[in-house]
mmCIF file of all heavy atoms in Angstrom:
data_model
loop_
_atom_site.group_PDB
_atom_site.id
_atom_site.type_symbol
_atom_site.label_atom_id
_atom_site.label_comp_id
_atom_site.label_asym_id
_atom_site.label_seq_id
_atom_site.Cartn_x
_atom_site.Cartn_y
_atom_site.Cartn_z
ATOM 1 N N LYS A 26 202.730 -65.272 -26.886
ATOM 2 C CA LYS A 26 202.767 -63.851 -27.252
ATOM 3 C C LYS A 26 203.425 -63.115 -26.073
ATOM 4 O O LYS A 26 202.996 -63.231 -24.933
ATOM 5 C CB LYS A 26 201.362 -63.300 -27.506
ATOM 6 C CG LYS A 26 200.663 -63.943 -28.735
ATOM 7 C CD LYS A 26 199.281 -63.323 -28.886
ATOM 8 C CE LYS A 26 198.578 -63.905 -30.124
ATOM 9 N NZ LYS A 26 197.221 -63.398 -30.297
ATOM 10 N N TYR A 27 204.429 -62.316 -26.373
ATOM 11 C CA TYR A 27 205.213 -61.641 -25.358
ATOM 12 C C TYR A 27 204.962 -60.113 -25.465
ATOM 13 O O TYR A 27 204.887 -59.565 -26.561
ATOM 14 C CB TYR A 27 206.702 -61.885 -25.575
ATOM 15 C CG TYR A 27 207.139 -63.337 -25.425
ATOM 16 C CD1 TYR A 27 207.018 -64.181 -26.528
ATOM 17 C CD2 TYR A 27 207.642 -63.834 -24.269
ATOM 18 C CE1 TYR A 27 207.380 -65.506 -26.439
ATOM 19 C CE2 TYR A 27 208.062 -65.163 -24.161
ATOM 20 C CZ TYR A 27 207.909 -66.000 -25.237
ATOM 21 O OH TYR A 27 208.311 -67.264 -25.149
ATOM 22 N N TYR A 28 204.878 -59.502 -24.289
ATOM 23 C CA TYR A 28 204.843 -58.034 -24.210
ATOM 24 C C TYR A 28 205.822 -57.589 -23.102
ATOM 25 O O TYR A 28 205.708 -58.113 -21.976
ATOM 26 C CB TYR A 28 203.433 -57.540 -23.904
ATOM 27 C CG TYR A 28 203.347 -56.094 -23.563
ATOM 28 C CD1 TYR A 28 203.478 -55.094 -24.546
ATOM 29 C CD2 TYR A 28 203.196 -55.634 -22.222
ATOM 30 C CE1 TYR A 28 203.398 -53.753 -24.212
ATOM 31 C CE2 TYR A 28 203.114 -54.301 -21.903
ATOM 32 C CZ TYR A 28 203.242 -53.349 -22.887
ATOM 33 O OH TYR A 28 203.211 -51.992 -22.566
ATOM 34 N N VAL A 29 206.766 -56.736 -23.434
ATOM 35 C CA VAL A 29 207.717 -56.277 -22.463
ATOM 36 C C VAL A 29 207.898 -54.762 -22.530
ATOM 37 O O VAL A 29 207.757 -54.143 -23.602
ATOM 38 C CB VAL A 29 209.109 -56.950 -22.651
ATOM 39 C CG1 VAL A 29 209.080 -58.421 -22.353
ATOM 40 C CG2 VAL A 29 209.633 -56.693 -24.059
ATOM 41 N N THR A 30 208.190 -54.180 -21.371
ATOM 42 C CA THR A 30 208.516 -52.778 -21.327
ATOM 43 C C THR A 30 209.838 -52.610 -20.534
ATOM 44 O O THR A 30 210.414 -53.610 -20.115
ATOM 45 C CB THR A 30 207.415 -51.947 -20.649
ATOM 46 O OG1 THR A 30 207.270 -52.405 -19.254
ATOM 47 C CG2 THR A 30 206.100 -52.140 -21.353
ATOM 48 N N GLY A 31 210.300 -51.419 -20.364
ATOM 49 C CA GLY A 31 211.489 -51.194 -19.554
ATOM 50 C C GLY A 31 212.717 -51.821 -20.168
ATOM 51 O O GLY A 31 212.936 -51.740 -21.360
ATOM 52 N N ASN A 32 213.537 -52.471 -19.367
ATOM 53 C CA ASN A 32 214.769 -53.119 -19.846
ATOM 54 C C ASN A 32 214.502 -54.189 -20.863
ATOM 55 O O ASN A 32 215.397 -54.531 -21.691
ATOM 56 C CB ASN A 32 215.547 -53.699 -18.691
ATOM 57 C CG ASN A 32 216.343 -52.611 -17.933
ATOM 58 O OD1 ASN A 32 216.290 -51.430 -18.333
ATOM 59 N ND2 ASN A 32 217.049 -52.982 -16.912
ATOM 60 N N GLY A 33 213.310 -54.793 -20.850
ATOM 61 C CA GLY A 33 212.950 -55.768 -21.846
ATOM 62 C C GLY A 33 212.989 -55.220 -23.276
ATOM 63 O O GLY A 33 213.162 -55.949 -24.250
ATOM 64 N N GLU A 34 212.818 -53.901 -23.383
ATOM 65 C CA GLU A 34 212.848 -53.271 -24.716
ATOM 66 C C GLU A 34 214.287 -53.118 -25.188
ATOM 67 O O GLU A 34 214.523 -52.892 -26.391
ATOM 68 C CB GLU A 34 212.170 -51.899 -24.671
ATOM 69 C CG GLU A 34 210.679 -51.975 -24.308
ATOM 70 C CD GLU A 34 210.037 -50.601 -24.180
ATOM 71 O OE1 GLU A 34 209.895 -49.929 -25.208
ATOM 72 O OE2 GLU A 34 209.738 -50.229 -23.016
ATOM 73 N N ILE A 35 215.250 -53.192 -24.300
ATOM 74 C CA ILE A 35 216.661 -53.143 -24.686
ATOM 75 C C ILE A 35 217.058 -54.475 -25.295
ATOM 76 O O ILE A 35 217.793 -54.531 -26.306
ATOM 77 C CB ILE A 35 217.539 -52.779 -23.507
ATOM 78 C CG1 ILE A 35 217.144 -51.376 -22.943
ATOM 79 C CG2 ILE A 35 218.990 -52.788 -23.879
ATOM 80 C CD1 ILE A 35 217.857 -51.011 -21.667
ATOM 81 N N ALA A 36 216.615 -55.546 -24.683
ATOM 82 C CA ALA A 36 216.971 -56.875 -25.131
ATOM 83 C C ALA A 36 216.252 -57.297 -26.384
ATOM 84 O O ALA A 36 216.679 -58.244 -27.120
ATOM 85 C CB ALA A 36 216.747 -57.908 -24.012
ATOM 86 N N ASN A 37 215.122 -56.612 -26.701
ATOM 87 C CA ASN A 37 214.318 -56.972 -27.857
ATOM 88 C C ASN A 37 214.043 -55.694 -28.676
ATOM 89 O O ASN A 37 213.895 -54.643 -28.118
ATOM 90 C CB ASN A 37 212.982 -57.588 -27.454
ATOM 91 C CG ASN A 37 213.156 -58.848 -26.628
ATOM 92 O OD1 ASN A 37 213.451 -59.932 -27.186
ATOM 93 N ND2 ASN A 37 213.023 -58.765 -25.306
ATOM 94 N N PRO A 38 213.950 -55.824 -29.973
ATOM 95 C CA PRO A 38 213.764 -54.573 -30.813
ATOM 96 C C PRO A 38 212.361 -54.037 -30.731
ATOM 97 O O PRO A 38 212.158 -52.908 -31.130
ATOM 98 C CB PRO A 38 214.077 -55.099 -32.236
ATOM 99 C CG PRO A 38 213.797 -56.574 -32.206
ATOM 100 C CD PRO A 38 214.178 -57.012 -30.823
ATOM 101 N N THR A 39 211.393 -54.808 -30.245
ATOM 102 C CA THR A 39 210.020 -54.338 -30.138
ATOM 103 C C THR A 39 209.401 -54.812 -28.811
ATOM 104 O O THR A 39 209.886 -55.765 -28.161
ATOM 105 C CB THR A 39 209.128 -54.850 -31.277
ATOM 106 O OG1 THR A 39 209.050 -56.309 -31.208
ATOM 107 C CG2 THR A 39 209.705 -54.503 -32.633
ATOM 108 N N LYS A 40 208.312 -54.152 -28.414
ATOM 109 C CA LYS A 40 207.628 -54.502 -27.169
ATOM 110 C C LYS A 40 206.851 -55.819 -27.317
ATOM 111 O O LYS A 40 206.650 -56.530 -26.349
ATOM 112 C CB LYS A 40 206.693 -53.404 -26.761
ATOM 113 C CG LYS A 40 207.315 -52.125 -26.338
ATOM 114 C CD LYS A 40 206.254 -51.065 -25.921
ATOM 115 C CE LYS A 40 206.914 -49.785 -25.460
ATOM 116 N NZ LYS A 40 205.920 -48.770 -25.059
ATOM 117 N N ASN A 41 206.369 -56.080 -28.535
ATOM 118 C CA ASN A 41 205.516 -57.243 -28.778
ATOM 119 C C ASN A 41 206.212 -58.217 -29.753
ATOM 120 O O ASN A 41 206.731 -57.731 -30.800
ATOM 121 C CB ASN A 41 204.155 -56.828 -29.371
ATOM 122 C CG ASN A 41 203.332 -56.031 -28.400
ATOM 123 O OD1 ASN A 41 202.661 -56.605 -27.549
ATOM 124 N ND2 ASN A 41 203.350 -54.712 -28.536
ATOM 125 N N PHE A 42 206.207 -59.481 -29.396
ATOM 126 C CA PHE A 42 206.706 -60.468 -30.321
ATOM 127 C C PHE A 42 206.081 -61.805 -30.005
ATOM 128 O O PHE A 42 205.484 -62.019 -28.945
ATOM 129 C CB PHE A 42 208.250 -60.575 -30.266
ATOM 130 C CG PHE A 42 208.854 -60.734 -28.897
ATOM 131 C CD1 PHE A 42 209.248 -62.000 -28.428
ATOM 132 C CD2 PHE A 42 209.047 -59.642 -28.080
ATOM 133 C CE1 PHE A 42 209.793 -62.145 -27.180
ATOM 134 C CE2 PHE A 42 209.610 -59.786 -26.832
ATOM 135 C CZ PHE A 42 209.993 -61.034 -26.358
ATOM 136 N N VAL A 43 206.174 -62.722 -30.975
ATOM 137 C CA VAL A 43 205.506 -64.028 -30.889
ATOM 138 C C VAL A 43 206.510 -65.126 -31.183
ATOM 139 O O VAL A 43 207.306 -65.009 -32.120
ATOM 140 C CB VAL A 43 204.324 -64.113 -31.890
ATOM 141 C CG1 VAL A 43 203.624 -65.488 -31.782
ATOM 142 C CG2 VAL A 43 203.324 -62.981 -31.641
ATOM 143 N N LYS A 44 206.463 -66.190 -30.375
ATOM 144 C CA LYS A 44 207.297 -67.370 -30.637
ATOM 145 C C LYS A 44 206.420 -68.585 -30.814
ATOM 146 O O LYS A 44 205.388 -68.714 -30.131
ATOM 147 C CB LYS A 44 208.253 -67.636 -29.494
ATOM 148 C CG LYS A 44 209.328 -66.543 -29.333
ATOM 149 C CD LYS A 44 210.265 -66.882 -28.167
ATOM 150 C CE LYS A 44 211.314 -65.771 -27.977
ATOM 151 N NZ LYS A 44 212.236 -66.081 -26.852
ATOM 152 N N THR A 45 206.750 -69.380 -31.785
ATOM 153 C CA THR A 45 206.065 -70.660 -32.080
ATOM 154 C C THR A 45 206.963 -71.792 -31.714
ATOM 155 O O THR A 45 208.183 -71.789 -32.000
ATOM 156 C CB THR A 45 205.637 -70.744 -33.540
ATOM 157 O OG1 THR A 45 204.939 -69.566 -33.927
ATOM 158 C CG2 THR A 45 204.797 -71.964 -33.807
ATOM 159 N N PHE A 46 206.402 -72.843 -31.119
ATOM 160 C CA PHE A 46 207.167 -73.996 -30.601
ATOM 161 C C PHE A 46 206.673 -75.329 -31.206
ATOM 162 O O PHE A 46 205.467 -75.423 -31.562
ATOM 163 C CB PHE A 46 207.090 -74.085 -29.062
ATOM 164 C CG PHE A 46 207.704 -72.883 -28.404
ATOM 165 C CD1 PHE A 46 206.955 -71.697 -28.237
ATOM 166 C CD2 PHE A 46 208.985 -72.865 -27.951
ATOM 167 C CE1 PHE A 46 207.479 -70.582 -27.614
ATOM 168 C CE2 PHE A 46 209.552 -71.737 -27.354
ATOM 169 C CZ PHE A 46 208.794 -70.599 -27.165
ATOM 170 N N ASN A 47 207.550 -76.279 -31.303
ATOM 171 C CA ASN A 47 207.146 -77.588 -31.822
ATOM 172 C C ASN A 47 206.732 -78.489 -30.647
ATOM 173 O O ASN A 47 206.711 -78.063 -29.477
ATOM 174 C CB ASN A 47 208.229 -78.223 -32.658
ATOM 175 C CG ASN A 47 209.514 -78.474 -31.848
ATOM 176 O OD1 ASN A 47 209.552 -78.451 -30.624
ATOM 177 N ND2 ASN A 47 210.642 -78.699 -32.566
ATOM 178 N N GLU A 48 206.406 -79.739 -30.935
ATOM 179 C CA GLU A 48 205.920 -80.679 -29.916
ATOM 180 C C GLU A 48 206.985 -80.966 -28.869
ATOM 181 O O GLU A 48 206.635 -81.303 -27.731
ATOM 182 C CB GLU A 48 205.426 -81.975 -30.594
ATOM 183 C CG GLU A 48 204.727 -82.908 -29.660
ATOM 184 C CD GLU A 48 204.184 -84.141 -30.411
ATOM 185 O OE1 GLU A 48 204.266 -84.202 -31.637
ATOM 186 O OE2 GLU A 48 203.636 -85.034 -29.721
ATOM 187 N N GLN A 49 208.220 -80.877 -29.228
ATOM 188 C CA GLN A 49 209.316 -81.087 -28.277
ATOM 189 C C GLN A 49 209.551 -79.860 -27.344
ATOM 190 O O GLN A 49 210.352 -79.934 -26.411
ATOM 191 C CB GLN A 49 210.630 -81.429 -28.986
ATOM 192 C CG GLN A 49 210.691 -82.816 -29.600
ATOM 193 C CD GLN A 49 209.839 -82.953 -30.827
ATOM 194 O OE1 GLN A 49 209.687 -82.007 -31.598
ATOM 195 N NE2 GLN A 49 209.223 -84.109 -30.998
ATOM 196 N N GLY A 50 208.871 -78.778 -27.615
ATOM 197 C CA GLY A 50 208.992 -77.576 -26.784
ATOM 198 C C GLY A 50 210.091 -76.631 -27.233
ATOM 199 O O GLY A 50 210.442 -75.683 -26.539
ATOM 200 N N ASP A 51 210.615 -76.863 -28.461
ATOM 201 C CA ASP A 51 211.693 -76.025 -28.972
ATOM 202 C C ASP A 51 211.155 -74.971 -29.932
ATOM 203 O O ASP A 51 210.214 -75.228 -30.721
ATOM 204 C CB ASP A 51 212.736 -76.914 -29.675
ATOM 205 C CG ASP A 51 213.434 -77.866 -28.699
ATOM 206 O OD1 ASP A 51 213.841 -77.401 -27.612
ATOM 207 O OD2 ASP A 51 213.520 -79.053 -29.008
ATOM 208 N N ILE A 52 211.720 -73.804 -29.897
ATOM 209 C CA ILE A 52 211.290 -72.675 -30.749
ATOM 210 C C ILE A 52 211.512 -73.024 -32.207
ATOM 211 O O ILE A 52 212.571 -73.543 -32.604
ATOM 212 C CB ILE A 52 211.979 -71.398 -30.355
ATOM 213 C CG1 ILE A 52 211.453 -70.218 -31.206
ATOM 214 C CG2 ILE A 52 213.508 -71.533 -30.482
ATOM 215 C CD1 ILE A 52 211.966 -68.864 -30.748
ATOM 216 N N ILE A 53 210.490 -72.764 -33.066
ATOM 217 C CA ILE A 53 210.668 -72.973 -34.497
ATOM 218 C C ILE A 53 210.434 -71.690 -35.298
ATOM 219 O O ILE A 53 210.753 -71.614 -36.448
ATOM 220 C CB ILE A 53 209.691 -74.073 -35.038
ATOM 221 C CG1 ILE A 53 208.231 -73.739 -34.699
ATOM 222 C CG2 ILE A 53 210.084 -75.418 -34.461
ATOM 223 C CD1 ILE A 53 207.219 -74.719 -35.285
ATOM 224 N N LYS A 54 209.873 -70.652 -34.625
ATOM 225 C CA LYS A 54 209.681 -69.366 -35.304
ATOM 226 C C LYS A 54 209.640 -68.258 -34.290
ATOM 227 O O LYS A 54 209.075 -68.419 -33.207
ATOM 228 C CB LYS A 54 208.393 -69.394 -36.105
ATOM 229 C CG LYS A 54 208.145 -68.115 -36.951
ATOM 230 C CD LYS A 54 206.826 -68.173 -37.691
ATOM 231 C CE LYS A 54 206.533 -66.919 -38.491
ATOM 232 N NZ LYS A 54 205.214 -66.962 -39.179
ATOM 233 N N ARG A 55 210.199 -67.108 -34.657
ATOM 234 C CA ARG A 55 210.152 -65.927 -33.798
ATOM 235 C C ARG A 55 209.811 -64.748 -34.688
ATOM 236 O O ARG A 55 210.496 -64.518 -35.703
ATOM 237 C CB ARG A 55 211.492 -65.696 -33.072
ATOM 238 C CG ARG A 55 211.531 -64.450 -32.179
ATOM 239 C CD ARG A 55 212.948 -64.270 -31.604
ATOM 240 N NE ARG A 55 213.946 -64.012 -32.626
ATOM 241 C CZ ARG A 55 215.238 -63.848 -32.398
ATOM 242 N NH1 ARG A 55 215.709 -64.013 -31.178
ATOM 243 N NH2 ARG A 55 216.090 -63.596 -33.389
ATOM 244 N N GLU A 56 208.837 -63.960 -34.295
ATOM 245 C CA GLU A 56 208.446 -62.797 -35.098
ATOM 246 C C GLU A 56 208.245 -61.580 -34.219
ATOM 247 O O GLU A 56 207.515 -61.613 -33.243
ATOM 248 C CB GLU A 56 207.123 -63.083 -35.870
ATOM 249 C CG GLU A 56 206.678 -61.903 -36.718
ATOM 250 C CD GLU A 56 205.482 -62.194 -37.582
ATOM 251 O OE1 GLU A 56 204.921 -63.312 -37.492
ATOM 252 O OE2 GLU A 56 205.082 -61.298 -38.366
ATOM 253 N N TYR A 57 208.957 -60.520 -34.555
ATOM 254 C CA TYR A 57 208.796 -59.240 -33.820
ATOM 255 C C TYR A 57 207.733 -58.391 -34.500
ATOM 256 O O TYR A 57 207.722 -58.223 -35.740
ATOM 257 C CB TYR A 57 210.142 -58.475 -33.843
ATOM 258 C CG TYR A 57 211.174 -59.117 -32.912
ATOM 259 C CD1 TYR A 57 212.231 -59.853 -33.470
ATOM 260 C CD2 TYR A 57 211.040 -59.015 -31.543
ATOM 261 C CE1 TYR A 57 213.184 -60.448 -32.633
ATOM 262 C CE2 TYR A 57 211.979 -59.593 -30.705
ATOM 263 C CZ TYR A 57 213.042 -60.343 -31.213
ATOM 264 O OH TYR A 57 213.940 -60.934 -30.379
ATOM 265 N N ILE A 58 206.832 -57.857 -33.679
ATOM 266 C CA ILE A 58 205.709 -57.018 -34.181
ATOM 267 C C ILE A 58 206.144 -55.564 -34.076
ATOM 268 O O ILE A 58 206.477 -55.107 -32.990
ATOM 269 C CB ILE A 58 204.422 -57.251 -33.346
ATOM 270 C CG1 ILE A 58 204.122 -58.759 -33.242
ATOM 271 C CG2 ILE A 58 203.270 -56.497 -33.991
ATOM 272 C CD1 ILE A 58 203.987 -59.480 -34.546
ATOM 273 N N PRO A 59 206.178 -54.809 -35.171
ATOM 274 C CA PRO A 59 206.681 -53.424 -35.148
ATOM 275 C C PRO A 59 205.920 -52.577 -34.128
ATOM 276 O O PRO A 59 204.682 -52.725 -33.970
ATOM 277 C CB PRO A 59 206.452 -52.907 -36.564
ATOM 278 C CG PRO A 59 206.431 -54.173 -37.413
ATOM 279 C CD PRO A 59 205.829 -55.214 -36.553
ATOM 280 N N ASP A 60 206.617 -51.690 -33.446
ATOM 281 C CA ASP A 60 206.003 -50.754 -32.498
ATOM 282 C C ASP A 60 205.357 -49.578 -33.222
ATOM 283 O O ASP A 60 204.451 -48.913 -32.682
ATOM 284 C CB ASP A 60 207.077 -50.197 -31.540
ATOM 285 C CG ASP A 60 207.576 -51.248 -30.567
ATOM 286 O OD1 ASP A 60 206.800 -52.191 -30.267
ATOM 287 O OD2 ASP A 60 208.741 -51.153 -30.131
ATOM 288 N N TYR A 61 205.817 -49.306 -34.477
ATOM 289 C CA TYR A 61 205.256 -48.201 -35.250
ATOM 290 C C TYR A 61 205.492 -48.485 -36.723
ATOM 291 O O TYR A 61 206.349 -49.315 -37.072
ATOM 292 C CB TYR A 61 205.927 -46.877 -34.842
ATOM 293 C CG TYR A 61 207.448 -46.952 -34.852
ATOM 294 C CD1 TYR A 61 208.170 -46.691 -36.019
ATOM 295 C CD2 TYR A 61 208.158 -47.252 -33.685
ATOM 296 C CE1 TYR A 61 209.545 -46.725 -36.036
ATOM 297 C CE2 TYR A 61 209.539 -47.305 -33.698
ATOM 298 C CZ TYR A 61 210.205 -47.050 -34.841
ATOM 299 O OH TYR A 61 211.612 -47.102 -34.872
ATOM 300 N N PRO A 62 204.735 -47.872 -37.613
ATOM 301 C CA PRO A 62 204.883 -48.112 -39.063
ATOM 302 C C PRO A 62 206.298 -47.855 -39.526
ATOM 303 O O PRO A 62 206.962 -46.927 -39.067
ATOM 304 C CB PRO A 62 203.878 -47.137 -39.685
ATOM 305 C CG PRO A 62 202.889 -46.874 -38.601
ATOM 306 C CD PRO A 62 203.658 -46.903 -37.329
ATOM 307 N N ASN A 63 206.771 -48.704 -40.426
ATOM 308 C CA ASN A 63 208.070 -48.565 -41.089
ATOM 309 C C ASN A 63 209.278 -48.718 -40.135
ATOM 310 O O ASN A 63 210.351 -48.262 -40.413
ATOM 311 C CB ASN A 63 208.160 -47.206 -41.824
ATOM 312 C CG ASN A 63 207.083 -47.046 -42.850
ATOM 313 O OD1 ASN A 63 206.765 -47.972 -43.591
ATOM 314 N ND2 ASN A 63 206.520 -45.835 -42.933
ATOM 315 N N GLN A 64 209.021 -49.299 -38.950
ATOM 316 C CA GLN A 64 210.129 -49.597 -38.055
ATOM 317 C C GLN A 64 211.112 -50.561 -38.671
ATOM 318 O O GLN A 64 210.683 -51.602 -39.254
ATOM 319 C CB GLN A 64 209.643 -50.121 -36.731
ATOM 320 C CG GLN A 64 210.759 -50.425 -35.716
ATOM 321 C CD GLN A 64 210.237 -51.027 -34.398
ATOM 322 O OE1 GLN A 64 209.054 -51.277 -34.266
ATOM 323 N NE2 GLN A 64 211.147 -51.203 -33.460
ATOM 324 N N VAL A 65 212.393 -50.246 -38.645
ATOM 325 C CA VAL A 65 213.396 -51.135 -39.231
ATOM 326 C C VAL A 65 213.769 -52.183 -38.150
ATOM 327 O O VAL A 65 214.235 -51.853 -37.074
ATOM 328 C CB VAL A 65 214.652 -50.333 -39.625
ATOM 329 C CG1 VAL A 65 215.745 -51.293 -40.141
ATOM 330 C CG2 VAL A 65 214.279 -49.316 -40.737
ATOM 331 N N ILE A 66 213.578 -53.454 -38.487
ATOM 332 C CA ILE A 66 213.891 -54.552 -37.582
ATOM 333 C C ILE A 66 214.852 -55.511 -38.302
ATOM 334 O O ILE A 66 214.487 -56.038 -39.358
ATOM 335 C CB ILE A 66 212.626 -55.307 -37.153
ATOM 336 C CG1 ILE A 66 211.629 -54.348 -36.485
ATOM 337 C CG2 ILE A 66 212.976 -56.438 -36.183
ATOM 338 C CD1 ILE A 66 210.283 -54.941 -36.200
ATOM 339 N N ILE A 67 216.031 -55.663 -37.774
ATOM 340 C CA ILE A 67 217.045 -56.470 -38.472
ATOM 341 C C ILE A 67 216.594 -57.926 -38.615
ATOM 342 O O ILE A 67 216.738 -58.548 -39.662
ATOM 343 C CB ILE A 67 218.402 -56.431 -37.715
ATOM 344 C CG1 ILE A 67 218.948 -55.008 -37.724
ATOM 345 C CG2 ILE A 67 219.394 -57.394 -38.312
ATOM 346 C CD1 ILE A 67 220.201 -54.838 -36.884
ATOM 347 N N GLN A 68 216.033 -58.492 -37.530
ATOM 348 C CA GLN A 68 215.573 -59.893 -37.583
ATOM 349 C C GLN A 68 214.047 -59.917 -37.322
ATOM 350 O O GLN A 68 213.628 -60.256 -36.229
ATOM 351 C CB GLN A 68 216.271 -60.726 -36.544
ATOM 352 C CG GLN A 68 217.758 -60.830 -36.607
ATOM 353 C CD GLN A 68 218.355 -61.582 -35.448
ATOM 354 O OE1 GLN A 68 217.699 -62.390 -34.817
ATOM 355 N NE2 GLN A 68 219.621 -61.346 -35.172
ATOM 356 N N LYS A 69 213.279 -59.520 -38.279
ATOM 357 C CA LYS A 69 211.873 -59.458 -38.061
ATOM 358 C C LYS A 69 211.237 -60.856 -37.892
ATOM 359 O O LYS A 69 210.448 -61.076 -36.927
ATOM 360 C CB LYS A 69 211.145 -58.751 -39.202
ATOM 361 C CG LYS A 69 209.631 -58.490 -38.957
ATOM 362 C CD LYS A 69 209.037 -57.695 -40.087
ATOM 363 C CE LYS A 69 207.590 -57.285 -39.761
ATOM 364 N NZ LYS A 69 206.724 -58.437 -39.599
ATOM 365 N N ILE A 70 211.636 -61.788 -38.740
ATOM 366 C CA ILE A 70 211.113 -63.152 -38.642
ATOM 367 C C ILE A 70 212.305 -64.106 -38.671
ATOM 368 O O ILE A 70 213.151 -63.989 -39.587
ATOM 369 C CB ILE A 70 210.096 -63.490 -39.741
ATOM 370 C CG1 ILE A 70 208.922 -62.534 -39.690
ATOM 371 C CG2 ILE A 70 209.608 -64.916 -39.588
ATOM 372 C CD1 ILE A 70 207.907 -62.755 -40.805
ATOM 373 N N SER A 71 212.371 -65.049 -37.754
ATOM 374 C CA SER A 71 213.447 -66.040 -37.711
ATOM 375 C C SER A 71 212.835 -67.433 -37.634
ATOM 376 O O SER A 71 211.756 -67.602 -37.074
ATOM 377 C CB SER A 71 214.340 -65.836 -36.475
ATOM 378 O OG SER A 71 214.860 -64.506 -36.462
ATOM 379 N N TYR A 72 213.569 -68.400 -38.154
ATOM 380 C CA TYR A 72 213.125 -69.778 -38.155
ATOM 381 C C TYR A 72 214.224 -70.707 -37.595
ATOM 382 O O TYR A 72 215.405 -70.371 -37.690
ATOM 383 C CB TYR A 72 212.739 -70.256 -39.575
ATOM 384 C CG TYR A 72 211.574 -69.535 -40.162
ATOM 385 C CD1 TYR A 72 211.757 -68.367 -40.905
ATOM 386 C CD2 TYR A 72 210.258 -70.003 -39.998
ATOM 387 C CE1 TYR A 72 210.664 -67.693 -41.481
ATOM 388 C CE2 TYR A 72 209.176 -69.341 -40.540
ATOM 389 C CZ TYR A 72 209.396 -68.206 -41.269
ATOM 390 O OH TYR A 72 208.341 -67.530 -41.851
ATOM 391 N N TYR A 73 213.786 -71.893 -37.069
ATOM 392 C CA TYR A 73 214.685 -72.815 -36.477
ATOM 393 C C TYR A 73 214.285 -74.251 -36.864
ATOM 394 O O TYR A 73 213.121 -74.602 -36.780
ATOM 395 C CB TYR A 73 214.691 -72.711 -34.966
ATOM 396 C CG TYR A 73 214.940 -71.296 -34.449
ATOM 397 C CD1 TYR A 73 213.931 -70.345 -34.420
ATOM 398 C CD2 TYR A 73 216.212 -70.907 -34.008
ATOM 399 C CE1 TYR A 73 214.166 -69.049 -33.976
ATOM 400 C CE2 TYR A 73 216.452 -69.611 -33.555
ATOM 401 C CZ TYR A 73 215.425 -68.695 -33.530
ATOM 402 O OH TYR A 73 215.646 -67.418 -33.091
#
């Protein structure tokens, strides 16, 4: 679970997001948690 402020908010669409990893240590899911209701997020959930 990630939380970023400052310049980290420029690189990511939200302050909070979650990444899931497989046994090899590679990302298999990324989900951005909206900062406020009805926030438009282009890539809300991604899979790998």
Side-chain angles (χ1 to χ4, degrees):
K26 295 180 180 179
Y27 299 84
Y28 170 74
V29 292
T30 63
N32 280 358
E34 297 176 71
I35 299 174
N37 300 283
T39 64
K40 292 181 179 181
N41 294 279
F42 52 99
V43 180
K44 293 181 182 180
T45 307
F46 297 84
N47 62 16
E48 189 176 354
Q49 286 74 35
D51 296 312
I52 184 173
I53 56 174
K54 183 181 178 182
R55 178 184 66 184
E56 181 175 3
Y57 288 105
I58 310 301
D60 291 331
Y61 51 86
N63 302 318
Q64 180 181 4
V65 177
I66 303 172
I67 296 176
Q68 301 175 23
K69 187 176 187 298
I70 302 177
S71 304
Y72 295 91
Y73 306 80

